[in-house]
Amino acid sequence: MEPVDAARWQFAIVTVYHFIFVPLTIGLSPLVAIMQTAWLVTGKAHWLRLTKFFGKLLLVNFAIGVATGIVQEFQFGMNWSEYSRFVGDIFGAPLAIEGLAAFFVESTFLGLWIFGWDKLPRKVHLACIWLVAVATNLSAFFILAANSWMQHPVGAIYNPETGRAELDDFGAVLLNNTLWAAYTHTIATSLLVAGTFVTGVAGWLLVREVRAGRVDLARTVYRPAALLGLVTIVVSGAGVAASGDWQAKLMFEQQPMKMAAAEGLCETQTGAGFSILTVGDLSNSCEGVIHLIEVPGLTSYLATGDFAGRVDGVPELQEYMAERYGAVDAAGEEINYSPNLALTYWSFRLMIGFAAGSALLALAALWLLRKKGSVTDKRWFARLCLIAIPTPFLAASFGWIFTETGRQPWVVVPNPTGVDMVRMLTSDGVSSSVSIAEVITSLTVFTLLYGVLAVVWVKLMTRYASHGAPEVEPPPDPDDADSDRPLSFAY
């Protein structure tokens, strides 16, 4: 194993692990804000109970997400110091703004929300959780601004004297069409994750309470939560489909090799079909690949808007890129410009396949809860709720695996219509001073530590979720209370 391989493994493991928590935090924070808003507007106690209940789960998820996210920042300066040296002027700007303008706001107002239940005026306290939701989504925007720049660099110039990329137009970085497609897709996906989580947890508790004879509790508390999650699934599911189509069309234009690999296109085709099942050797040799099941013309439509459109295959794109960017690297070895075809092909399909779990849960919930005030005691629905909860998490993770591994061997993908010289191969971005032994040691430590954190996260989430929504008294209005009352921890 080369140092670049170990460094890639470490970054992949840390990133995918961290991203497990990210979409739930992004999507659940506005849902908790909606629940608290419903309580403040209607005065109905069940919305307060749901706010406290899902708010606690949000806090657990947020805490572990923050702890695992910090590690990623250090890797850029350690394992990937050559990458940071080359593009740090551009890449560091949105990450710095994310920390100063988004994460600090998010953390500050989350603290006020936790401790200010009986101290802050109710409308001010409600504004705190909404600011958390806004800041969380703003944080995602700036992080994706950095990532999307790597996928499609804009607003930069190459300085031949320093051998570095330099920021030329920060506005172009923030207006990058790759960023806006990725951002809308990520936010829609996060809401899908949160909607499935709320529906799954509420649906399981609803069945449990009905079977225990507490039908009124199921109807007044968990049914509204399940319906809120159901609406979120339907709306966000449409958003995922629309934004995914937008993103796919951009990828066919900006990263044609990624999309050719995703479809296992081993030759240029007109009217290329969307492959459902492919057999053969999906290695980089691209030999003996047969599409057993496919939807005729769909890939061409996704790429060009025309069912008979032309889509270039992997061998033709390899020849084109070798001619444009060089056939050999600095060490004299031949450069393979196609990613791992099997990984790219199957991660793309697993992303779509696991997302179907949310759709199945939505259909079942819509049918069982379609009548006004209806609840259910079906065991199969409770099981479906538990099975469906992790499916959008897995879909989101495979989506990032597809996005990041599909652009290999580039860490900064060239933009031939813009800043073509601002590009970098992954092998050129790894640190030259960090040994493979050091990377493997830190990788082992992180894997063990994250394994422990995973157990803690699962135990805390399942414990608090199984307890159900607690009985709570509405907090006193601070305007009518003792002004000297200290802030108190609400959980």
Side-chain angles (χ1 to χ4, degrees):
M1 182 181 289
E2 298 294 328
V4 65
D5 298 317
R8 287 183 64 190
W9 269 110
Q10 183 177 76
F11 198 88
I13 290 173
V14 170
T15 301
V16 171
Y17 184 90
H18 169 64
F19 193 72
I20 292 173
F21 312 102
V22 171
L24 184 59
T25 297
I26 294 173
L28 189 56
S29 54
L31 293 186
V32 172
I34 290 172
M35 294 174 189
Q36 186 170 345
T37 303
W39 167 65
L40 191 64
V41 171
T42 66
K44 294 181 178 179
H46 68 269
W47 286 117
L48 177 60
R49 296 180 65 177
L50 291 170
T51 301
K52 292 291 190 87
F53 175 55
F54 284 105
K56 182 182 294 185
L57 299 176
L58 171 65
L59 294 177
V60 172
N61 192 77
F62 177 84
I64 296 186
V66 169
T68 56
I70 293 173
V71 176
Q72 288 186 281
E73 303 283 349
F74 289 99
Q75 290 187 92
F76 292 122
M78 293 182 174
N79 294 357
W80 301 98
S81 59
E82 290 301 314
Y83 163 80
S84 296
R85 185 198 65 81
F86 180 64
V87 300
D89 286 353
I90 307 102
F91 189 79
L95 292 184
I97 295 174
E98 185 272 333
L100 294 172
F103 179 72
F104 285 173
V105 172
E106 180 183 0
S107 303
T108 299
F109 285 98
L110 186 62
L112 289 172
W113 186 75
I114 293 171
F115 295 105
W117 274 97
D118 60 351
K119 187 65 176 177
L120 296 174
R122 289 181 177 178
K123 291 183 180 179
V124 174
H125 187 259
L126 175 63
C128 289
I129 189 62
W130 275 112
L131 284 169
V132 171
V134 171
T136 300
N137 285 265
L138 191 62
S139 177
F141 176 81
F142 287 111
I143 291 173
L144 286 170
N147 180 268
S148 297
W149 185 87
M150 297 164 66
Q151 308 281 348
H152 183 64
V154 294
I157 57 173
Y158 176 73
N159 187 335
E161 295 183 1
T162 62
R164 303 176 66 216
E166 297 178 354
L167 183 62
D168 182 56
D169 184 357
F170 189 59
V173 175
L174 298 183
L175 295 175
N176 191 349
N177 57 1
T178 307
L179 163 61
W180 285 98
Y183 181 67
T184 53
H185 194 60
T186 300
I187 297 303
T189 300
S190 299
L191 288 170
L192 183 67
V193 170
T196 305
F197 180 79
V198 171
T199 302
V201 172
W204 183 82
L205 291 169
L206 183 147
V207 173
R208 186 186 72 175
E209 299 304 325
V210 171
R211 296 186 70 86
R214 295 183 287 268
V215 178
D216 288 341
L217 177 62
R219 181 176 291 114
T220 58
V221 177
Y222 299 119
R223 186 175 188 275
L227 292 177
L228 175 62
L230 175 59
V231 171
T232 305
I233 292 174
V234 173
V235 174
S236 62
V240 167
S243 59
D245 178 67
W246 179 18
Q247 202 171 19
K249 283 181 169 56
L250 284 177
M251 284 185 186
F252 274 112
E253 175 186 336
Q254 298 169 355
Q255 300 183 44
M257 180 64 87
K258 177 189 290 187
M259 298 310 293
E263 292 303 319
L265 287 177
C266 291
E267 60 182 10
T268 299
Q269 297 182 24
T270 57
F274 182 86
S275 171
I276 305 297
L277 178 62
T278 293
V279 297
D281 182 15
L282 272 177
S283 66
N284 289 334
S285 63
C286 206
E287 295 179 356
V289 174
I290 301 173
H291 296 175
L292 291 181
I293 305 173
E294 64 179 16
V295 180
L298 183 56
T299 293
S300 288
Y301 179 78
L302 292 174
T304 66
D306 181 1
F307 285 100
R310 170 192 166 99
V311 182
D312 291 332
V314 171
E316 289 77 12
L317 290 170
Q318 168 68 26
E319 183 179 345
Y320 163 78
M321 298 185 79
E323 181 179 347
R324 186 178 185 103
Y325 302 114
V328 296
D329 59 17
E333 298 182 1
E334 183 179 354
I335 302 175
N336 185 357
Y337 287 101
S338 66
N340 185 306
L341 296 185
L343 180 60
T344 308
Y345 178 89
W346 286 112
S347 60
F348 186 66
R349 274 142 193 83
L350 289 170
M351 172 187 68
I352 299 172
F354 277 115
S358 298
L360 185 61
L361 176 61
L363 288 174
L366 185 63
W367 175 256
L368 294 173
L369 305 179
R370 67 190 184 280
K371 295 180 181 179
K372 185 176 181 179
S374 59
V375 291
T376 181
D377 63 351
K378 305 295 185 183
R379 285 186 181 274
W380 65 264
F381 179 65
R383 294 192 186 99
L384 176 61
C385 288
L386 296 180
I387 293 172
I389 287 175
T391 58
F393 285 88
L394 293 169
S397 295
F398 278 112
W400 270 112
I401 291 172
F402 163 71
T403 299
E404 296 305 299
T405 60
R407 65 182 160 96
Q408 296 302 320
W410 299 105
V411 66
V412 179
V413 181
N415 179 4
T417 61
V419 285
D420 194 20
M421 287 301 296
V422 180
R423 61 179 186 264
M424 175 174 266
L425 292 169
T426 303
S427 57
D428 295 332
V430 71
S431 173
S432 58
S433 60
V434 178
S435 68
I436 187 171
E438 291 171 323
V439 177
I440 291 178
T441 300
S442 61
L443 172 59
T444 303
V445 172
F446 279 131
T447 302
L448 294 174
L449 178 61
Y450 282 6
V452 173
L453 287 177
V455 173
V456 172
W457 178 67
V458 170
K459 284 186 174 295
L460 288 175
M461 295 292 277
T462 53
R463 176 196 297 175
Y464 292 130
S466 62
H467 287 171
E471 290 280 359
V472 294
E473 290 292 333
D477 189 343
D479 293 335
D480 301 328
D482 182 3
S483 60
D484 293 330
R485 180 186 292 110
L487 294 174
S488 60
F489 189 68
Y491 294 98

